[in-house]
Amino acid sequence: MATVATVSGDKRKYQISAAIKAYALTDVGFQRSQNGNFLLEQPISGNSPYEESYKLKIRIMKDLKNLHMDTTDDSGMHVINIFQLKDNQEVIEQYNYAIQNLLDRDILSVV
């Protein structure tokens, strides 16, 4: 884990916002793991909101200082660069919407 993270293919770098609150994480869908860390797995499907094809995965350590970000396939096991996909406009649009939501809620900030 690091204090600055990026998603494969995204030119922006992110860090945890200085104004972050732990309750805000659960408000946007983060789940708490057994060891106290926070995990968000948000579908970013291109074709249908009912069919998962890709996921945005964000892990934030319980100290709220370190994070890790990936976009993966629907299994969550393989990291995918969504910016290199064919016909990726809808997927990128949903990815940007999810990231903007986290920025607006002071969970992430752009470095």
PDB file of all heavy atoms in Angstrom, residues 37-55:
ATOM      1  N   ASN A  37      -9.565  -2.746   7.691  1.00  0.00           N
ATOM      2  CA  ASN A  37      -9.356  -1.972   6.472  1.00  0.00           C
ATOM      3  C   ASN A  37     -10.684  -1.798   5.733  1.00  0.00           C
ATOM      4  O   ASN A  37     -11.648  -2.496   6.009  1.00  0.00           O
ATOM      5  CB  ASN A  37      -8.325  -2.660   5.571  1.00  0.00           C
ATOM      6  CG  ASN A  37      -6.976  -2.756   6.231  1.00  0.00           C
ATOM      7  OD1 ASN A  37      -6.601  -1.916   7.036  1.00  0.00           O
ATOM      8  ND2 ASN A  37      -6.231  -3.800   5.903  1.00  0.00           N
ATOM      9  N   PHE A  38     -10.713  -0.897   4.770  1.00  0.00           N
ATOM     10  CA  PHE A  38     -11.927  -0.603   4.002  1.00  0.00           C
ATOM     11  C   PHE A  38     -11.733  -1.051   2.561  1.00  0.00           C
ATOM     12  O   PHE A  38     -10.679  -0.846   1.977  1.00  0.00           O
ATOM     13  CB  PHE A  38     -12.225   0.898   4.037  1.00  0.00           C
ATOM     14  CG  PHE A  38     -12.518   1.423   5.407  1.00  0.00           C
ATOM     15  CD1 PHE A  38     -11.508   1.924   6.203  1.00  0.00           C
ATOM     16  CD2 PHE A  38     -13.812   1.411   5.911  1.00  0.00           C
ATOM     17  CE1 PHE A  38     -11.765   2.415   7.468  1.00  0.00           C
ATOM     18  CE2 PHE A  38     -14.082   1.896   7.171  1.00  0.00           C
ATOM     19  CZ  PHE A  38     -13.061   2.400   7.955  1.00  0.00           C
ATOM     20  N   LEU A  39     -12.772  -1.660   1.970  1.00  0.00           N
ATOM     21  CA  LEU A  39     -12.708  -2.152   0.605  1.00  0.00           C
ATOM     22  C   LEU A  39     -13.973  -1.740  -0.144  1.00  0.00           C
ATOM     23  O   LEU A  39     -15.085  -1.923   0.345  1.00  0.00           O
ATOM     24  CB  LEU A  39     -12.577  -3.675   0.585  1.00  0.00           C
ATOM     25  CG  LEU A  39     -12.603  -4.345  -0.787  1.00  0.00           C
ATOM     26  CD1 LEU A  39     -11.393  -3.923  -1.620  1.00  0.00           C
ATOM     27  CD2 LEU A  39     -12.642  -5.850  -0.647  1.00  0.00           C
ATOM     28  N   LEU A  40     -13.764  -1.175  -1.335  1.00  0.00           N
ATOM     29  CA  LEU A  40     -14.861  -0.841  -2.237  1.00  0.00           C
ATOM     30  C   LEU A  40     -14.685  -1.641  -3.514  1.00  0.00           C
ATOM     31  O   LEU A  40     -13.612  -1.624  -4.117  1.00  0.00           O
ATOM     32  CB  LEU A  40     -14.856   0.655  -2.567  1.00  0.00           C
ATOM     33  CG  LEU A  40     -15.887   1.106  -3.603  1.00  0.00           C
ATOM     34  CD1 LEU A  40     -17.295   1.056  -3.018  1.00  0.00           C
ATOM     35  CD2 LEU A  40     -15.578   2.495  -4.104  1.00  0.00           C
ATOM     36  N   GLU A  41     -15.715  -2.365  -3.914  1.00  0.00           N
ATOM     37  CA  GLU A  41     -15.748  -3.052  -5.201  1.00  0.00           C
ATOM     38  C   GLU A  41     -16.983  -2.558  -5.919  1.00  0.00           C
ATOM     39  O   GLU A  41     -18.091  -2.990  -5.634  1.00  0.00           O
ATOM     40  CB  GLU A  41     -15.791  -4.566  -5.025  1.00  0.00           C
ATOM     41  CG  GLU A  41     -14.509  -5.157  -4.520  1.00  0.00           C
ATOM     42  CD  GLU A  41     -14.497  -6.669  -4.572  1.00  0.00           C
ATOM     43  OE1 GLU A  41     -15.358  -7.277  -5.245  1.00  0.00           O
ATOM     44  OE2 GLU A  41     -13.615  -7.251  -3.931  1.00  0.00           O
ATOM     45  N   GLN A  42     -16.782  -1.638  -6.859  1.00  0.00           N
ATOM     46  CA  GLN A  42     -17.903  -1.012  -7.555  1.00  0.00           C
ATOM     47  C   GLN A  42     -17.913  -1.443  -9.016  1.00  0.00           C
ATOM     48  O   GLN A  42     -16.912  -1.285  -9.709  1.00  0.00           O
ATOM     49  CB  GLN A  42     -17.798   0.503  -7.455  1.00  0.00           C
ATOM     50  CG  GLN A  42     -18.969   1.206  -8.071  1.00  0.00           C
ATOM     51  CD  GLN A  42     -18.984   2.666  -7.698  1.00  0.00           C
ATOM     52  OE1 GLN A  42     -18.287   3.114  -6.812  1.00  0.00           O
ATOM     53  NE2 GLN A  42     -19.817   3.414  -8.379  1.00  0.00           N
ATOM     54  N   PRO A  43     -19.045  -1.983  -9.495  1.00  0.00           N
ATOM     55  CA  PRO A  43     -19.112  -2.370 -10.902  1.00  0.00           C
ATOM     56  C   PRO A  43     -19.067  -1.142 -11.804  1.00  0.00           C
ATOM     57  O   PRO A  43     -19.669  -0.114 -11.503  1.00  0.00           O
ATOM     58  CB  PRO A  43     -20.455  -3.082 -11.031  1.00  0.00           C
ATOM     59  CG  PRO A  43     -21.152  -2.932  -9.750  1.00  0.00           C
ATOM     60  CD  PRO A  43     -20.245  -2.311  -8.767  1.00  0.00           C
ATOM     61  N   ILE A  44     -18.320  -1.248 -12.883  1.00  0.00           N
ATOM     62  CA  ILE A  44     -18.279  -0.194 -13.897  1.00  0.00           C
ATOM     63  C   ILE A  44     -18.507  -0.848 -15.255  1.00  0.00           C
ATOM     64  O   ILE A  44     -17.630  -0.884 -16.100  1.00  0.00           O
ATOM     65  CB  ILE A  44     -16.968   0.615 -13.849  1.00  0.00           C
ATOM     66  CG1 ILE A  44     -15.745  -0.293 -13.853  1.00  0.00           C
ATOM     67  CG2 ILE A  44     -16.927   1.539 -12.665  1.00  0.00           C
ATOM     68  CD1 ILE A  44     -14.423   0.444 -14.004  1.00  0.00           C
ATOM     69  N   SER A  45     -19.698  -1.363 -15.448  1.00  0.00           N
ATOM     70  CA  SER A  45     -20.051  -2.079 -16.668  1.00  0.00           C
ATOM     71  C   SER A  45     -20.404  -1.093 -17.763  1.00  0.00           C
ATOM     72  O   SER A  45     -20.952  -0.039 -17.508  1.00  0.00           O
ATOM     73  CB  SER A  45     -21.243  -2.993 -16.408  1.00  0.00           C
ATOM     74  OG  SER A  45     -20.959  -3.861 -15.350  1.00  0.00           O
ATOM     75  N   GLY A  46     -20.090  -1.456 -18.973  1.00  0.00           N
ATOM     76  CA  GLY A  46     -20.362  -0.571 -20.087  1.00  0.00           C
ATOM     77  C   GLY A  46     -21.725  -0.739 -20.698  1.00  0.00           C
ATOM     78  O   GLY A  46     -22.391   0.230 -21.008  1.00  0.00           O
ATOM     79  N   ASN A  47     -22.177  -1.960 -20.856  1.00  0.00           N
ATOM     80  CA  ASN A  47     -23.396  -2.206 -21.623  1.00  0.00           C
ATOM     81  C   ASN A  47     -24.663  -2.202 -20.796  1.00  0.00           C
ATOM     82  O   ASN A  47     -25.664  -1.647 -21.195  1.00  0.00           O
ATOM     83  CB  ASN A  47     -23.285  -3.539 -22.364  1.00  0.00           C
ATOM     84  CG  ASN A  47     -22.125  -3.549 -23.324  1.00  0.00           C
ATOM     85  OD1 ASN A  47     -21.763  -2.522 -23.874  1.00  0.00           O
ATOM     86  ND2 ASN A  47     -21.523  -4.708 -23.517  1.00  0.00           N
ATOM     87  N   SER A  48     -24.634  -2.826 -19.658  1.00  0.00           N
ATOM     88  CA  SER A  48     -25.839  -2.986 -18.851  1.00  0.00           C
ATOM     89  C   SER A  48     -25.514  -2.790 -17.377  1.00  0.00           C
ATOM     90  O   SER A  48     -24.511  -3.315 -16.891  1.00  0.00           O
ATOM     91  CB  SER A  48     -26.413  -4.395 -19.058  1.00  0.00           C
ATOM     92  OG  SER A  48     -27.410  -4.662 -18.097  1.00  0.00           O
ATOM     93  N   PRO A  49     -26.369  -2.063 -16.652  1.00  0.00           N
ATOM     94  CA  PRO A  49     -26.122  -1.915 -15.222  1.00  0.00           C
ATOM     95  C   PRO A  49     -26.362  -3.202 -14.439  1.00  0.00           C
ATOM     96  O   PRO A  49     -25.995  -3.307 -13.285  1.00  0.00           O
ATOM     97  CB  PRO A  49     -27.114  -0.830 -14.806  1.00  0.00           C
ATOM     98  CG  PRO A  49     -28.189  -0.877 -15.824  1.00  0.00           C
ATOM     99  CD  PRO A  49     -27.530  -1.329 -17.095  1.00  0.00           C
ATOM    100  N   TYR A  50     -26.961  -4.188 -15.080  1.00  0.00           N
ATOM    101  CA  TYR A  50     -27.274  -5.454 -14.412  1.00  0.00           C
ATOM    102  C   TYR A  50     -26.234  -6.529 -14.694  1.00  0.00           C
ATOM    103  O   TYR A  50     -26.285  -7.594 -14.127  1.00  0.00           O
ATOM    104  CB  TYR A  50     -28.656  -5.947 -14.843  1.00  0.00           C
ATOM    105  CG  TYR A  50     -29.713  -4.913 -14.606  1.00  0.00           C
ATOM    106  CD1 TYR A  50     -30.299  -4.245 -15.669  1.00  0.00           C
ATOM    107  CD2 TYR A  50     -30.103  -4.573 -13.321  1.00  0.00           C
ATOM    108  CE1 TYR A  50     -31.250  -3.273 -15.448  1.00  0.00           C
ATOM    109  CE2 TYR A  50     -31.050  -3.594 -13.094  1.00  0.00           C
ATOM    110  CZ  TYR A  50     -31.624  -2.955 -14.164  1.00  0.00           C
ATOM    111  OH  TYR A  50     -32.556  -1.983 -13.949  1.00  0.00           O
ATOM    112  N   GLU A  51     -25.317  -6.261 -15.592  1.00  0.00           N
ATOM    113  CA  GLU A  51     -24.308  -7.237 -15.979  1.00  0.00           C
ATOM    114  C   GLU A  51     -22.930  -6.662 -15.675  1.00  0.00           C
ATOM    115  O   GLU A  51     -22.498  -5.707 -16.298  1.00  0.00           O
ATOM    116  CB  GLU A  51     -24.432  -7.522 -17.471  1.00  0.00           C
ATOM    117  CG  GLU A  51     -23.457  -8.535 -17.983  1.00  0.00           C
ATOM    118  CD  GLU A  51     -23.633  -8.738 -19.472  1.00  0.00           C
ATOM    119  OE1 GLU A  51     -24.768  -8.919 -19.932  1.00  0.00           O
ATOM    120  OE2 GLU A  51     -22.612  -8.695 -20.178  1.00  0.00           O
ATOM    121  N   GLU A  52     -22.270  -7.248 -14.689  1.00  0.00           N
ATOM    122  CA  GLU A  52     -20.931  -6.779 -14.343  1.00  0.00           C
ATOM    123  C   GLU A  52     -19.929  -7.240 -15.395  1.00  0.00           C
ATOM    124  O   GLU A  52     -19.916  -8.390 -15.779  1.00  0.00           O
ATOM    125  CB  GLU A  52     -20.499  -7.341 -12.980  1.00  0.00           C
ATOM    126  CG  GLU A  52     -21.209  -6.735 -11.818  1.00  0.00           C
ATOM    127  CD  GLU A  52     -20.623  -7.211 -10.497  1.00  0.00           C
ATOM    128  OE1 GLU A  52     -19.450  -7.633 -10.465  1.00  0.00           O
ATOM    129  OE2 GLU A  52     -21.347  -7.164  -9.514  1.00  0.00           O
ATOM    130  N   SER A  53     -19.113  -6.298 -15.844  1.00  0.00           N
ATOM    131  CA  SER A  53     -18.030  -6.704 -16.730  1.00  0.00           C
ATOM    132  C   SER A  53     -16.682  -6.237 -16.207  1.00  0.00           C
ATOM    133  O   SER A  53     -15.674  -6.866 -16.470  1.00  0.00           O
ATOM    134  CB  SER A  53     -18.271  -6.187 -18.146  1.00  0.00           C
ATOM    135  OG  SER A  53     -18.513  -4.803 -18.141  1.00  0.00           O
ATOM    136  N   TYR A  54     -16.678  -5.143 -15.453  1.00  0.00           N
ATOM    137  CA  TYR A  54     -15.442  -4.630 -14.849  1.00  0.00           C
ATOM    138  C   TYR A  54     -15.771  -4.079 -13.475  1.00  0.00           C
ATOM    139  O   TYR A  54     -16.918  -3.743 -13.186  1.00  0.00           O
ATOM    140  CB  TYR A  54     -14.824  -3.526 -15.720  1.00  0.00           C
ATOM    141  CG  TYR A  54     -14.632  -3.963 -17.138  1.00  0.00           C
ATOM    142  CD1 TYR A  54     -15.491  -3.542 -18.139  1.00  0.00           C
ATOM    143  CD2 TYR A  54     -13.597  -4.827 -17.471  1.00  0.00           C
ATOM    144  CE1 TYR A  54     -15.326  -3.979 -19.437  1.00  0.00           C
ATOM    145  CE2 TYR A  54     -13.430  -5.268 -18.771  1.00  0.00           C
ATOM    146  CZ  TYR A  54     -14.303  -4.829 -19.751  1.00  0.00           C
ATOM    147  OH  TYR A  54     -14.152  -5.266 -21.028  1.00  0.00           O
ATOM    148  N   LYS A  55     -14.740  -3.983 -12.635  1.00  0.00           N
ATOM    149  CA  LYS A  55     -14.921  -3.453 -11.284  1.00  0.00           C
ATOM    150  C   LYS A  55     -13.830  -2.433 -10.977  1.00  0.00           C
ATOM    151  O   LYS A  55     -12.681  -2.597 -11.398  1.00  0.00           O
ATOM    152  CB  LYS A  55     -14.814  -4.560 -10.231  1.00  0.00           C
ATOM    153  CG  LYS A  55     -15.931  -5.541 -10.227  1.00  0.00           C
ATOM    154  CD  LYS A  55     -15.710  -6.556  -9.129  1.00  0.00           C
ATOM    155  CE  LYS A  55     -16.803  -7.612  -9.150  1.00  0.00           C
ATOM    156  NZ  LYS A  55     -16.604  -8.616  -8.109  1.00  0.00           N
TER     157      LYS A  55
END
